[in-house]
Amino acid sequence: MRLLAGCELTVESNEDCAVVAMLRPRNGEAQWMISETYTFDPHVRPTEFVDVFGNLCQRFVVRRGRMRIRAELEVETERDIVIAPWVAPTPAAFLPDHALQYLLPSRYCPSDRTFDQAQAIVAAAAPRSGQVGAIVEWIRTHIAYRYGVSDATTDALGTMEARAGVCRDYAHVGITLCRSLRIPARMVVGYLHGLEPMDLHAWFEAYLDGRWYTFDPTQAAPRGGRIVVAYGRDAADVAFLTNYGWLQTFEMQVWVGERTGEVPLLLTGGSL
């Protein structure tokens, strides 16, 4: 399927502020960039680099005052996703080198402190649900989707204690529990067609049987129509904007629609 997606945000700084953004999705096995347009008002010319996770990052300076940033994308992506929650994990000795870093604890995913709980969750799971499937089902049934419970400092342990959070919190819990069981897991951020309410979205991937699989505990059933913008260990690696100085976001709009003539759904907000 072809998706028209994008976002527009207005930011303000009280002094010149260096910024690293992640605006540009990269091509991959499950998505292909057809066209992309970026607008900065006032105009700047970003420089670009590829980070250690393969994400495309744009560096620029927000001058004192306000700036409007707009990204418009047309992307071909998969309508359906491959699911296999029952697949057995790959033993650590046979993991590819690039997957090893996703076994380690990270800022928002303290997986070295959740082994007992992860073991208890999978031990109580139904037959053929698999370890990751059991973790996803536990998140869906034990953590409520609720705004205002978490903030930028909340890690997976905080979410598990509060039993509530938003999409990034769900992803952090899933990643943490997977890593506790020596299953590589990574954070993914991007766009999801049909998401309600519309917003930038976060989910996670787990490495099973030689490939990455998508898991999204916020959704009742597996859904395709995803545009990946960035991968990382947790939210610290995949921020849409990382500012090195004071910067405030005043407004953000996100839209995703299918190219077949559907009008993209638009909402003002932001939960990532």
Side-chain angles (χ1 to χ4, degrees), residues 53 101-102 106 109 175 179 186-187 231-235 237:
F53 306 104
Q101 64 185 320
Y102 298 112
S106 57
C109 300
I175 292 166
R179 290 180 187 169
R186 64 185 182 182
M187 184 91 160
Y231 298 99
R233 294 165 298 185
D234 56 32
D237 298 326

Side-chain angles (χ1 to χ4, degrees), residues 171-187:
H172 284 154
V173 173
I175 292 166
T176 300
L177 294 172
C178 284
R179 290 180 187 169
S180 291
L181 300 175
R182 290 192 287 276
I183 300 172
R186 64 185 182 182
M187 184 91 160

